[in-house]
Amino acid sequence: MTQTLASRVSGPVYTPSDAGYGPECAGFNVLVQHTPQYVVAVKSTQDVAEALRFARENHLPVAVQATGHGTYASVTSGVLLSTKALNQVSIDAAARTATIGAGARWEPVIAEAAKHGLAPVAGSSTNVGVVGYLLGGGLGPLVRSHGVSSDYVVGYTVVTSDGETIHASAEHHPDLFWALRGGKGGFGIVTEVKLKLVELRSLYAGSLFFEEQHIEAVLRGWVKWTSEADARVSTSIAVMRFPPFDFIPPPLRGRTVINLRFAYPGSIEEGAKLAAPLRALAPVYLDMLGELPASQMARIHNDPDQPSPVWTNGMMLTHVDQDFAATVLRHVGAGVQTPYFMLEIRHLGGASWRDVAGGSAVGGRGGNFIIGLVGMHPPLFDTVLPGATQGLRAELKPWLSQEMTINFMGKVQSAEHFDSAWPDAIRAKLKDVRGKYDPSKLFAK
């Protein structure tokens, strides 16, 4: 069957005995080892269509991977489509749009758009794949000023389970377009996305680091500040425990700090004025906040860009207050031996509350804050981190929202857990759309 599949696609086909199999299967999370029967390094939309027809004819399940940032479970059978080679990026400056292949990361999109004074409403990491991120909605560093990232999608090129290529937009296949803006997976294989860009050459943005002894003052001060925050300002705050490894910059190596991230897409003078109360919360250890070219938005969060072991989890909040801060401090405050590498709280609201015309499948749009938890030490992944998170979740019950968003779910434990990322009405509609476009359930969600 391998020869049969290879004869139908232009990209290479690998099986477990082939030298290129491991590298093509590899993703960002190094602990996830895929072992499908076939991995197809697709080079075109036609390759995707042929691979899907082959899988359907032979009753094989299909999964897809670009960068593997959101991958926590191994693919152990069927066909894995690797879209790494579909990494083309083109900018239409007049129309202010970008056309982006399914394997592209945010970094080249940002760089190409910046040449024209434009920018995508991207995520916090420029190393993440564009399509996978957008399929889950996307709550990036401009979330309050510009909203959910998938709101800027103009259209998708999708190959359905029967090998048919569809261009989904507000005018064509609007039900599928609605689902792909936030509904994540199970509808087809996206090979290209067309995205609206915004005019943005620079912003007042970056981050402030405060030393461990100031965690309480900074967290409590930020919680109070958010109650009257300007809707144009997006912030988050993260308690980070850096290991004493050589690759960590010396000022952070082996330290626990609290990092306040700030983004204001406006004048430098106004941005400095808006940030002044946050700078005054405690003595600043590292000041990395100032005028920032739009091409360097990755410096706001400074997310890692090298493959590593990673564990994540998240929870959405209705509100925060000083009792909330006290609860969080019991888990990550100064002197606390926390198992987390990072606990981050992002301030939502503003433009993210407004849905697009025609609606979208984004979950958690009504949330006010979201917590992201990150672990980096593999021995803690199976029991210690899940146990600590269960305890934290129980203590945070007064502030927890019934809403959630799929990109912050972490490892999906079951179909029910996956479905919990959307409210009932959206979840029911997503089920109908999946049934229409993938009646044979070929795709893994």
Side-chain angles (χ1 to χ4, degrees):
M1 281 203 301
T2 305
Q3 183 60 40
T4 303
L5 177 55
S7 67
R8 296 170 66 164
V9 298
S10 61
V13 177
Y14 301 103
T15 60
S17 61
D18 297 327
Y21 178 87
E24 200 63 46
C25 287
F28 188 83
N29 188 348
V30 299
L31 292 185
V32 176
Q33 302 293 320
H34 296 310
T35 56
Q37 291 162 261
Y38 308 95
V39 56
V40 185
V42 297
K43 290 186 175 181
S44 66
T45 296
Q46 184 60 33
D47 275 359
V48 173
E50 289 297 335
L52 292 184
R53 293 187 185 108
F54 171 86
R56 186 176 181 185
E57 291 162 7
N58 291 280
H59 308 289
L60 297 172
V62 174
V64 62
Q65 175 174 273
T67 67
H69 275 79
T71 302
Y72 298 93
S74 299
V75 176
T76 58
S77 63
V79 180
L80 175 65
L81 302 183
S82 171
T83 61
K84 295 176 185 177
L86 301 180
N87 59 1
Q88 70 279 4
V89 175
S90 63
I91 306 296
D92 184 335
R96 289 189 292 183
T97 60
T99 302
I100 306 159
R105 302 170 189 258
W106 281 113
E107 184 175 11
V109 181
I110 291 171
E112 289 301 311
K115 296 176 182 178
H116 307 280
L118 302 170
V121 178
S124 59
S125 171
T126 59
N127 193 48
V128 167
V130 172
V131 167
Y133 169 85
L134 289 173
L135 290 175
L139 305 175
L142 298 177
V143 63
R144 284 173 54 80
S145 60
H146 287 76
V148 177
S149 299
S150 61
D151 292 350
Y152 291 81
V153 175
V154 176
Y156 291 100
T157 300
V158 190
V159 184
T160 60
S161 61
D162 60 1
E164 180 185 359
T165 299
I166 286 176
H167 300 286
S169 66
E171 295 78 27
H172 304 284
H173 303 282
D175 56 342
L176 181 58
F177 183 55
W178 170 89
L180 292 171
R181 288 203 284 184
K184 205 60 177 180
F187 311 99
I189 303 298
V190 174
T191 61
E192 190 174 82
V193 61
K194 189 173 183 180
L195 190 67
K196 287 188 294 185
L197 305 173
V198 299
E199 291 190 39
L200 187 65
R201 293 185 179 275
S202 66
L203 60 164
Y204 190 82
S207 67
L208 304 170
F209 287 87
F210 302 86
E211 293 182 283
E212 183 175 6
Q213 64 265 34
H214 302 302
I215 288 176
E216 180 169 3
V218 174
L219 177 59
R220 288 187 179 277
W222 177 78
V223 164
K224 181 180 179 181
W225 178 88
T226 60
S227 65
E228 298 181 352
D230 192 299
R232 300 167 295 171
V233 176
S234 300
T235 60
S236 72
I237 200 161
V239 178
M240 309 177 75
R241 186 181 185 185
F242 289 95
F245 297 156
D246 290 344
F247 65 85
I248 304 295
L252 298 173
R253 190 178 301 157
R255 287 181 173 269
T256 297
V257 297
I258 186 164
N259 180 209
L260 200 159
R261 291 86 176 264
F262 184 100
Y264 170 67
S267 73
I268 308 310
E269 295 76 18
E270 183 66 14
K273 185 185 300 183
L274 290 167
L278 298 174
R279 267 203 175 91
L281 292 176
V284 178
Y285 175 56
L286 294 174
D287 192 328
M288 302 172 68
L289 178 58
E291 183 175 10
L292 190 68
S295 61
Q296 297 181 31
M297 281 195 287
R299 289 171 52 191
I300 298 171
H301 282 247
N302 285 304
D303 286 347
D305 59 5
Q306 296 300 314
S308 62
V310 64
W311 174 97
T312 67
N313 205 301
M315 54 194 86
M316 190 162 275
L317 309 172
T318 57
H319 67 291
V320 297
D321 54 27
Q322 294 304 320
D323 289 339
F324 165 83
T327 303
V328 170
L329 289 166
R330 289 198 293 270
H331 290 260
V332 294
V336 176
Q337 294 300 304
T338 177
Y340 303 113
F341 163 68
M342 181 178 75
L343 182 152
E344 181 192 25
I345 310 165
R346 297 192 185 192
H347 188 196
L348 308 179
S352 70
W353 285 337
R354 298 191 294 270
D355 204 350
V356 291
S360 68
V362 172
R365 194 179 285 276
N368 288 296
F369 295 84
I370 195 162
I371 292 179
L373 303 166
V374 179
M376 301 289 286
H377 189 42
L380 306 181
F381 288 6
D382 291 337
T383 58
V384 175
L385 283 163
T389 302
Q390 185 177 9
L392 175 62
R393 187 181 295 274
E395 291 188 41
L396 291 178
K397 187 176 180 180
W399 299 277
L400 290 183
S401 171
Q402 293 184 354
E403 296 188 64
M404 192 50 187
T405 191
I406 188 64
N407 283 355
F408 277 76
M409 290 282 284
K411 184 177 182 179
V412 174
Q413 304 296 331
S414 64
E416 292 74 21
H417 184 220
F418 178 82
D419 286 343
S420 69
W422 295 274
D424 291 345
I426 291 179
R427 182 165 60 247
K429 189 173 178 181
L430 286 172
K431 182 179 179 180
D432 290 343
V433 177
R434 285 194 183 96
K436 177 180 177 180
Y437 289 95
D438 183 26
S440 58
K441 297 183 179 179
L442 185 68
F443 302 118
K445 289 188 287 187

